Amino acid sequence: MRSGPILLLSLCCLSFRHVDDGTGVTRFAQTASVPSIQTDIPSLCTALASDFPLGAAIWPGALTGLHGELLKKHFNSITAENDMKWQHVEPVEGKFEFGPADELVSFAKANHMLVRGHTLVWDQQNPTWLFKDVQGRDMTPTPENKALLLQRLSRHIRAVVSHFGNDVYAWDVVNEPIDPSQPDGFRHSAWYRITGTDYIDTAFRVAHETAPTAKLYINEYATTNPRKRGLLLKLVRELKNRGVPLYGVGHQMHVNLDYPRASAITQTVHMFAAAGMDNQITELDVSVYQNDQQRYSSAPTALLARQGYRYRDLFRCFRKLKGSISAVTFWGLADDHTWLAHYPVDRPNWPLLFDAALQAKPAYWGVVNPRRLPRRK
Ligand code: XIL
């Protein structure tokens, strides 16, 4: 564990500054001027080398300086947190902007890391032109608009997937298509309203035609929820019956200290594996909150210890599932940059393995060596 003086130094260095989180929105983020990363602790991805590759989703700032050092030491896979999303790569129709994503891929190649692509089709972070008809009005569900939207989808996927080629080994092709609150179980996004489920088939078929060896996933959150899981399984089976080239299911795994239990994760992965699916954990983080009302201004020590045990249990579960789970990716590198500082409400959160000063938390030890977790009170 961290020694007293280092802890003090870390805390002294904490400050708040404005950052652009990659969505173009400037926000406050907890940041730190960091003295150094710990060089005397085990590398996470080396410790897990016989289980699965270990990834982090990152913003461009995490490629340089001490963040870059931490990333190289502990991870052998990276994902762009935002820089491969439609809004970022094709903000204007036919004009592709790959700069930040290319930098991420170059970093990965220079450091022998895998790249997971995220994401080709989603109902969020899209440019406004995408759902406008030829007259510039919001698309309504007509046969003409359906054809136009599927054409835009095919062109986008061909351009993006061919640009990265074999540098991206896996793609989240369709993100979050299920909505258990709908009677038909599908998210009623513009994609669905205009094309039905054809957007899903088209996205997978075009991605596969363009990169036949890439592993293609449906990525979804709350996959342990029984109704949602059932709906996703049904979709998976229907896609397979239609010959759609789906390789696996991405389980986002934005979880909290208690929910879902590891046993529910195990059961879920087994169910998808039995349906012929590979599984990846794609967006792991452990919020310290149980509901939208809680808010701590600093991280309670007892909760960080509980989080350490929670990570221990999660990784015991993932490791037992090796063979059915082919990768685990965290949705972030360290607590200085996490989407949970703004979702579901603005508040500090500490969901990752390294603190805002890039030092190992109990969560880190829970993954790598649970004997070093703080004693339970
Ligand atoms: C989040 C990013 O982390 C944020 O920076 C951005 O503002 C919104 O999107 N599920 C997903 C991810 O599939 O793409 C989301 O990422 C988090 C939820």
Side-chain angles (χ1 to χ4, degrees):
M1 300 299 321
R2 203 161 55 186
S3 66
I6 294 178
L7 174 65
L8 202 63
L9 180 61
S10 309
L11 292 175
C12 292
C13 294
L14 289 181
S15 62
F16 283 85
R17 70 178 164 94
H18 281 100
V19 295
D20 183 334
D21 72 352
T23 57
V25 181
T26 303
R27 306 170 186 278
F28 275 115
Q30 200 178 325
T31 60
S33 43
V34 180
S36 69
I37 65 160
Q38 292 152 297
T39 51
D40 56 347
I41 59 172
S43 150
L44 287 167
C45 62
T46 308
L48 294 165
S50 61
D51 298 305
F52 31 67
L54 200 67
I58 52 138
W59 63 296
L63 294 177
T64 55
L66 291 171
H67 289 81
E69 294 305 312
L70 189 72
L71 192 57
K72 281 188 259 183
K73 177 173 168 71
H74 292 289
F75 297 93
N76 50 10
S77 173
I78 45 178
T79 295
E81 182 184 0
N82 289 298
D83 294 319
M84 290 189 186
K85 292 174 182 171
W86 200 311
Q87 187 185 52
H88 291 259
V89 294
E90 197 186 4
V92 175
E93 186 162 17
K95 302 255 177 293
F96 290 88
E97 293 184 10
F98 290 117
D102 284 347
E103 279 178 33
L104 180 144
V105 170
S106 302
F107 179 95
K109 286 170 90 170
N111 295 293
H112 315 290
M113 298 164 119
L114 297 168
V115 180
R116 270 202 104 249
H118 176 86
T119 177
L120 297 173
V121 194
W122 193 19
D123 73 318
Q124 293 181 35
Q125 293 182 271
N126 290 311
T128 42
W129 62 264
L130 183 53
F131 300 113
K132 301 284 183 197
D133 67 15
V134 277
Q135 272 96 33
R137 295 172 309 208
D138 287 341
M139 278 185 175
T140 50
T142 63
E144 295 73 30
N145 285 339
K146 177 173 175 173
L148 179 60
L149 191 56
L150 291 177
Q151 185 190 58
R152 286 175 179 167
L153 177 67
S154 303
R155 285 187 179 156
H156 176 81
I157 292 181
R158 246 177 240 125
V160 175
V161 173
S162 66
H163 176 82
F164 295 108
N166 292 334
D167 292 340
V168 170
Y169 86 102
W171 278 104
D172 289 332
V173 176
V174 175
N175 201 27
E176 304 180 351
I178 301 294
D179 180 355
S181 72
Q182 295 291 349
D184 66 6
F186 288 107
R187 184 167 303 285
H188 287 208
S189 61
W191 290 112
Y192 183 76
R193 289 195 307 273
I194 294 157
T195 78
T197 55
D198 285 357
Y199 81 95
I200 302 175
D201 296 41
T202 300
F204 276 97
R205 291 190 197 281
V206 174
H208 183 66
E209 269 165 37
T210 313
T213 58
K215 295 177 173 175
L216 306 181
Y217 295 82
I218 287 190
N219 195 44
E220 190 51 92
Y221 66 94
T223 54
T224 53
N225 170 300
R227 171 161 160 82
K228 197 166 183 187
R229 179 172 66 197
L231 291 163
L232 184 57
L233 264 169
K234 185 166 165 281
L235 172 62
V236 161
R237 292 201 181 101
E238 286 167 3
L239 292 173
K240 284 193 66 179
N241 287 342
R242 295 203 288 267
V244 173
L246 168 67
Y247 187 81
V249 170
H251 305 266
Q252 292 188 5
M253 214 56 70
H254 297 294
V255 301
N256 69 24
L257 294 170
D258 300 311
Y259 180 82
R261 304 313 305 160
S263 55
I265 298 170
T266 303
Q267 190 188 16
T268 300
V269 168
H270 281 153
M271 288 169 90
F272 285 99
M277 290 290 101
D278 179 48
N279 294 270
Q280 296 198 334
I281 307 300
T282 54
E283 305 186 15
L284 176 61
D285 49 22
V286 177
S287 171
V288 303
Y289 299 113
Q290 318 282 348
N291 59 50
D292 297 358
Q293 282 73 47
Q294 289 175 314
R295 183 181 205 282
Y296 305 111
S297 50
S298 61
T301 314
L303 282 193
L304 295 182
R306 264 180 72 195
Q307 188 187 49
Y309 284 92
R310 174 66 160 149
Y311 267 114
R312 177 198 67 179
D313 295 346
L314 287 171
F315 272 80
R316 278 185 179 159
C317 158
F318 298 157
R319 287 168 122 153
K320 280 199 196 128
L321 288 166
K322 86 171 177 192
S324 300
I325 288 182
S326 65
V328 174
T329 291
F330 289 85
W331 206 245
L333 173 65
D335 287 347
D336 63 331
H337 182 98
T338 165
W339 77 300
L340 293 177
H342 311 291
Y343 183 89
V345 294
D346 282 344
R347 62 185 171 189
N349 208 332
W350 303 271
L352 299 163
L353 303 189
F354 298 95
D355 68 16
L358 309 188
Q359 309 295 299
K361 295 163 60 188
Y364 163 90
W365 292 109
V367 174
V368 93
N369 183 0
R371 285 192 302 274
R372 294 197 51 184
L373 281 169
R375 280 237 187 88
R376 285 205 218 233
K377 296 262 155 41

XYZ file of all heavy atoms in Angstrom, residues 21 23 27 81-82 85 118 122 125 175-176 219 252 254 283 331 339, ligand 1:
184
model
N -13.400 16.820 -22.360
C -13.444 15.363 -22.197
C -13.522 14.628 -23.524
O -13.730 13.428 -23.566
C -14.603 14.955 -21.294
C -15.947 15.111 -21.975
O -15.982 15.682 -23.073
O -16.948 14.655 -21.402
N -15.724 15.307 -25.855
C -17.030 15.512 -26.476
C -17.173 16.972 -26.882
O -18.205 17.392 -27.370
C -18.168 15.177 -25.493
O -18.014 15.988 -24.334
C -18.155 13.725 -25.099
N -15.275 20.723 -18.979
C -15.796 20.378 -17.664
C -14.682 20.512 -16.641
O -13.513 20.566 -16.982
C -16.249 18.910 -17.637
C -17.234 18.531 -18.716
C -17.364 17.016 -18.675
N -18.163 16.463 -19.737
C -19.488 16.397 -19.738
N -20.177 16.893 -18.754
N -20.128 15.841 -20.734
N -11.950 6.331 -25.945
C -13.165 6.585 -25.163
C -14.211 7.287 -26.027
O -15.404 7.031 -25.896
C -12.814 7.435 -23.943
C -14.007 7.701 -23.042
C -13.681 8.635 -21.885
O -12.520 9.091 -21.770
O -14.602 8.914 -21.104
N -13.755 8.165 -26.903
C -14.679 8.916 -27.772
C -14.216 9.046 -29.219
O -15.034 9.287 -30.103
C -14.882 10.340 -27.217
C -15.700 10.326 -25.938
O -16.858 9.916 -25.934
N -15.088 10.756 -24.838
N -15.948 7.520 -32.348
C -17.411 7.633 -32.483
C -17.759 8.514 -33.689
O -16.962 9.360 -34.107
C -18.003 8.195 -31.191
C -17.885 7.202 -30.026
C -18.344 7.793 -28.711
C -18.154 6.793 -27.573
N -18.386 7.394 -26.241
N -14.312 1.241 -30.853
C -15.592 1.590 -30.210
C -16.019 2.938 -30.753
O -15.263 3.890 -30.589
C -15.384 1.644 -28.704
C -16.605 2.088 -27.941
N -17.588 1.207 -27.550
C -17.022 3.314 -27.514
C -18.530 1.868 -26.890
N -18.209 3.134 -26.860
N -24.351 3.816 -32.870
C -24.930 4.072 -31.553
C -26.003 5.125 -31.738
O -26.019 5.814 -32.776
C -23.820 4.571 -30.608
C -24.152 4.596 -29.143
C -25.148 3.916 -28.500
C -23.471 5.357 -28.134
N -25.114 4.184 -27.160
C -24.096 5.065 -26.898
C -22.390 6.245 -28.144
C -23.684 5.635 -25.687
C -21.974 6.803 -26.955
C -22.609 6.497 -25.730
N -23.892 10.561 -29.587
C -22.659 11.113 -30.158
C -22.614 10.950 -31.684
O -21.619 10.508 -32.256
C -21.438 10.505 -29.460
C -21.361 10.958 -27.987
C -20.160 10.435 -27.250
O -20.183 9.349 -26.658
N -19.073 11.184 -27.280
N -23.865 -0.557 -30.629
C -23.828 -0.258 -29.199
C -25.243 -0.034 -28.678
O -26.008 0.750 -29.263
C -22.995 1.020 -28.999
C -22.456 1.177 -27.592
O -22.238 0.187 -26.884
N -22.214 2.408 -27.177
N -25.601 -0.750 -27.628
C -26.829 -0.511 -26.866
C -28.123 -0.572 -27.682
O -28.929 0.356 -27.649
C -26.723 0.838 -26.131
C -25.493 0.910 -25.235
C -25.364 2.235 -24.481
O -26.124 3.171 -24.772
O -24.491 2.325 -23.615
N -22.467 -4.514 -28.238
C -22.036 -4.053 -26.920
C -23.251 -3.525 -26.163
O -24.024 -2.745 -26.711
C -20.995 -2.941 -27.120
C -20.212 -2.624 -25.880
O -19.778 -3.539 -25.167
N -20.009 -1.347 -25.600
N -20.744 -4.195 -20.984
C -20.084 -2.949 -20.571
C -19.549 -3.041 -19.144
O -18.444 -2.626 -18.861
C -21.047 -1.775 -20.729
C -21.370 -1.472 -22.192
C -22.161 -0.190 -22.370
O -22.408 0.559 -21.433
N -22.559 0.074 -23.598
N -20.570 -1.449 -16.219
C -20.548 -0.275 -15.331
C -21.305 -0.699 -14.073
O -22.537 -0.738 -14.075
C -21.228 0.922 -16.002
C -20.525 1.366 -17.243
N -19.262 1.909 -17.213
C -20.891 1.331 -18.548
C -18.884 2.202 -18.452
N -19.847 1.853 -19.281
N -16.291 -2.185 -20.653
C -16.284 -0.820 -20.091
C -16.299 -0.859 -18.566
O -17.048 -0.134 -17.918
C -17.491 -0.021 -20.611
C -17.571 0.030 -22.126
C -18.673 0.939 -22.663
O -19.207 1.754 -21.892
O -18.996 0.813 -23.854
N -13.115 1.286 -18.301
C -13.546 2.529 -18.968
C -12.793 3.708 -18.351
O -13.361 4.586 -17.699
C -15.065 2.708 -18.921
C -15.524 3.546 -20.072
C -16.093 4.792 -20.015
C -15.427 3.215 -21.473
N -16.343 5.243 -21.305
C -15.948 4.304 -22.205
C -14.945 2.101 -22.182
C -16.005 4.319 -23.609
C -14.995 2.120 -23.569
C -15.518 3.211 -24.261
N -15.809 9.126 -16.887
C -17.116 9.638 -17.318
C -18.090 9.713 -16.145
O -19.041 10.479 -16.158
C -17.667 8.770 -18.455
C -18.243 7.448 -18.028
C -17.602 6.433 -17.382
C -19.602 7.014 -18.205
N -18.469 5.389 -17.165
C -19.701 5.726 -17.668
C -20.735 7.587 -18.793
C -20.886 4.993 -17.674
C -21.914 6.861 -18.806
C -21.984 5.584 -18.246
C -18.957 7.956 -22.681
C -17.636 8.694 -22.572
O -16.879 8.106 -21.549
C -17.889 10.164 -22.282
O -16.666 10.908 -22.326
C -18.858 10.754 -23.299
O -19.177 12.083 -22.917
C -20.128 9.920 -23.386
O -19.793 8.563 -23.655
N -21.423 3.505 -22.726
C -20.631 3.571 -23.849
C -19.551 4.596 -23.935
O -20.749 2.705 -24.718
O -19.316 5.013 -25.257
C -19.848 5.780 -23.070
O -18.712 6.632 -23.080
C -20.187 5.338 -21.659
C -21.430 4.466 -21.661
